[in-house]
């Protein structure tokens, strides 16, 4: 089977999303296998080649979009760009996704050097770290394909960015030992976020928020409401005031904070594969669009084409009729080595299904 030429969409991604928002006929549901560093494989480069090279990041994401024709490009390499711009050390393996090396603040065991937090300054998105190169990538992508597909720019949420400034374990410890310090970290991270989202929007791109450490797998819903929610809401309110909608992704278990994610103002919730997306439809689907949640590792990376087809059909059956809309997607960013044929199959399955609203019985949805 020729995965690249078998299917041709009747609508562009922008046409599809606009029609879907108005309740008009669509050729198929929107579909976003969340392609991150897999884009490097599309153009045959190493992930580390993206560092400091906005032109290459853009080239990879444009090529990946043209190969698969999904419904949103998210310019993304890793979650650490803002923390790195604020002074944290990020390690770039030769051909794997970057990871945190040393946080900018190395807290001692007795927390006696918390005054270091007061020395932190928000990042300048036009000067610091790799942020300027990411902005360059966004501008290039928008210029190349922005008239046919929405383009998003990845932004790491305040609480998660704070964890990269002092270390995840230290941040969680501080929520109990010194709440004021956590609020200071979240505030300076928020100030970096506000500057960055302004630059992202000025580049013609819509901010897409990821707040991995706000997961209920890491902190309790009570701590989320105390330390993460207030800053997320300020950030989302700011983006709304700029005329943009917001997709919010929080990894892992999130069912205990879905109501709070809606209160934060998110327009779309990206649901991780560890959560029950059908339950999300029942609890908050009448107030917010949903996207997800085919397993990125077990299915998209390790599964067969048939596994991908079955998982995609299953999630469409469960959630296609969510009141505020549904985007078929992976539960999180795809692993770098995800087979191209599996990405093609997710999209081709959605294409075979076509417009599910023309099917009266969900059990008859097949591909």
């Amino acid at each position: 089977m020729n995965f690249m030429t078998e299917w041709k969409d009747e609508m562009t991604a922008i046409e599809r999303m606009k029609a879907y928002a108005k309740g008009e006929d669509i050729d198929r549901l929107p579909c976003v296998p969340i392609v991150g560093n897999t884009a490097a494989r599309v153009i045959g480069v190493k992930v580390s080649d993206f560092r400091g090279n906005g032109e290459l990041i853009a080239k990879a994401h444009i090529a990946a979009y043209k190969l698969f024709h999904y419904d949103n490009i998210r310019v993304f390499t890793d979650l650490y760009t803002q923390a790195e711009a604020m002074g944290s050390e990020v390690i770039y393996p030769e051909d794997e996704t970057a990871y945190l090396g040393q946080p900018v603040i190395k807290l001692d065991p007795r927390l006696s050097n918390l005054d270091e937090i007061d020395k932190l300054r928000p990042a300048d998105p036009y000067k610091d770290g790799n942020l300027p190169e990411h902005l360059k990538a966004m501008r290039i992508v928008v210029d190349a394909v922005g008239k046919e597909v929405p383009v998003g720019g990845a932004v790491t949420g305040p609480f998660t960015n704070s964890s990269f400034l002092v270390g995840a374990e230290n941040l969680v410890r501080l929520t109990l030992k010194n709440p004021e310090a956590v609020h200071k970290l979240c505030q300076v991270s928020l100030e970096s976020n506000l500057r960055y989202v302004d630059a992202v929007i000025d580049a013609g791109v819509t901010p897409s928020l990821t707040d991995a450490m706000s997961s209920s797998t890491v902190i309790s819903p009570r701590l989320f409401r105390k330390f993460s929610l207030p800053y997320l809401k300020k950030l989302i309110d700011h983006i709304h005031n700029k005329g943009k909608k917001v997709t919010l992704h929080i990894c892992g278990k999130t069912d205990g904070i879905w109501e709070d994610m809606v209160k934060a103002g998110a327009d779309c919730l990206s649901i991780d594969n560890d959560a029950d997306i059908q339950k999300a439809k029942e609890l908050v689907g009448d107030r917010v669009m949903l996207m997800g949640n085919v397993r990125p590792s077990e299915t998209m990376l390790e599964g067969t084409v048939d596994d991908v087809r079955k998982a995609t059909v299953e999630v469409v059956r469960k959630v296609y009729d969510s009141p505020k809309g549904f985007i078929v997607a992976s539960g999180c960013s795809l692993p770098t080595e995800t087979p191209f044929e599996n990405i093609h199959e997710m999209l081709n399955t959605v294409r075979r299904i076509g417009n599910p609203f023309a099917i009266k019985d969900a059990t008859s949805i097949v591909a």
Side-chain angles (χ1 to χ4, degrees):
M1 179 181 294
N2 189 331
F3 291 101
M4 295 179 62
T5 60
E6 184 191 4
W7 298 98
K8 183 173 176 60
D9 289 321
E10 299 174 13
M11 310 174 80
T12 68
I14 285 180
E15 289 171 344
R16 183 175 300 109
M17 292 302 294
K18 285 183 177 179
Y20 193 30
K22 294 177 181 178
E24 299 173 353
D25 284 343
I26 50 174
D27 55 343
R28 62 167 173 82
L29 285 175
C31 182
V32 184
I34 305 174
V35 172
N37 286 330
T38 307
R41 296 293 178 263
V42 175
I43 62 171
V45 300
K46 296 177 180 178
V47 175
S48 57
D49 293 335
F50 286 154
R51 186 183 190 187
N53 195 333
E55 292 181 359
L56 193 66
I57 295 170
K59 179 181 178 180
H61 280 287
I62 292 166
Y65 162 71
K66 290 185 174 180
L67 176 61
F68 301 116
H69 286 283
Y70 37 73
D71 288 287
N72 184 281
I73 297 174
R74 179 171 174 260
V75 178
F76 170 80
T77 57
D78 58 81
L79 294 174
Y80 307 103
T81 51
Q82 291 161 90
E84 182 182 39
M86 295 176 71
S88 290
E89 177 193 17
V90 176
I91 305 298
Y92 291 85
E94 183 178 9
D95 199 20
E96 297 177 19
T97 298
Y99 62 90
L100 183 67
Q102 288 288 337
V104 62
I105 296 177
K106 302 170 185 64
L107 290 176
D108 61 45
R110 295 185 179 181
L111 303 179
S112 61
N113 59 331
L114 284 175
D115 58 329
E116 294 294 313
I117 294 175
D118 294 324
K119 300 177 184 178
L120 286 171
R121 295 294 178 264
D124 182 338
Y126 296 104
K127 294 181 180 179
D128 294 335
N130 285 302
L131 295 182
E133 293 299 319
H134 281 257
L135 292 172
K136 180 192 292 185
M138 294 173 201
R139 289 191 291 269
I140 294 171
V141 173
V142 168
D143 287 344
V145 293
K147 292 182 179 179
E148 61 187 83
V149 61
V151 181
V155 177
T156 302
F159 188 79
T160 297
N161 189 71
S162 297
S163 77
F164 302 150
L165 299 177
V166 296
E169 290 185 6
N170 282 332
L171 184 66
V172 173
R173 188 158 60 109
L174 286 172
T175 62
L176 302 174
K177 298 287 187 179
N178 196 317
E180 181 184 356
V182 179
H183 285 298
K184 286 183 178 180
L185 287 162
C186 288
Q187 182 60 40
V188 71
S189 290
L190 173 63
E191 291 169 12
S192 277
N193 286 153
L194 295 174
R195 295 183 182 192
Y196 190 44
V197 298
D198 283 350
V200 166
I201 292 169
D202 286 345
V205 172
T206 298
S208 175
L209 305 186
T210 298
D211 210 348
M213 294 302 293
S214 288
S215 169
S216 299
T217 308
V218 180
I219 59 172
S220 69
R222 180 184 66 82
L223 291 179
F224 172 81
R225 293 176 194 119
K226 183 175 182 179
F227 294 109
S228 182
L229 176 58
Y231 302 96
L232 268 178
K233 187 171 188 335
K234 289 177 182 177
L235 178 57
I236 293 173
D237 285 347
H238 181 82
I239 296 170
H240 283 165
N241 287 336
K242 294 283 185 174
K244 296 289 187 178
K245 292 188 176 181
V246 178
T247 295
L248 173 60
H249 177 80
I250 297 179
C251 301
K253 292 178 61 178
T254 51
D255 56 318
I257 57 172
W258 285 335
E259 291 282 353
D260 300 295
M261 292 167 73
V262 173
K263 289 177 183 176
D267 302 282
C268 177
L269 300 189
S270 172
I271 304 296
D272 190 279
N273 49 277
D274 284 344
D276 184 343
I277 197 166
Q278 187 167 5
K279 182 180 177 183
K281 177 183 78 170
E282 295 166 358
L283 293 180
V284 297
D286 62 333
R287 284 166 285 161
V288 66
M289 180 176 278
L290 302 175
M291 67 179 285
N293 70 338
V294 176
R295 294 181 177 276
S297 294
E298 296 93 328
T299 301
M300 296 301 296
L301 173 66
E302 300 171 356
T304 65
V305 167
D306 193 49
D307 292 332
V308 173
R309 179 186 60 80
K310 290 177 180 177
T312 304
V313 169
E314 180 183 10
V315 76
V316 171
R317 284 177 176 167
K318 288 180 178 179
V319 204
Y320 81 93
D321 58 350
S322 192
K324 288 294 184 180
F326 172 60
I327 299 171
V328 183
S330 50
C332 197
S333 293
L334 296 180
T336 302
E337 300 297 337
T338 300
F340 290 1
E341 58 265 30
N342 284 355
I343 301 174
H344 279 299
E345 184 59 25
M346 174 185 275
L347 281 145
N348 286 341
T349 298
V350 174
R351 293 179 179 118
R352 293 186 201 107
I353 292 170
N355 182 358
F357 301 100
I359 302 171
K360 294 182 179 180
D361 181 3
T363 60
S364 65
I365 292 176
V366 296

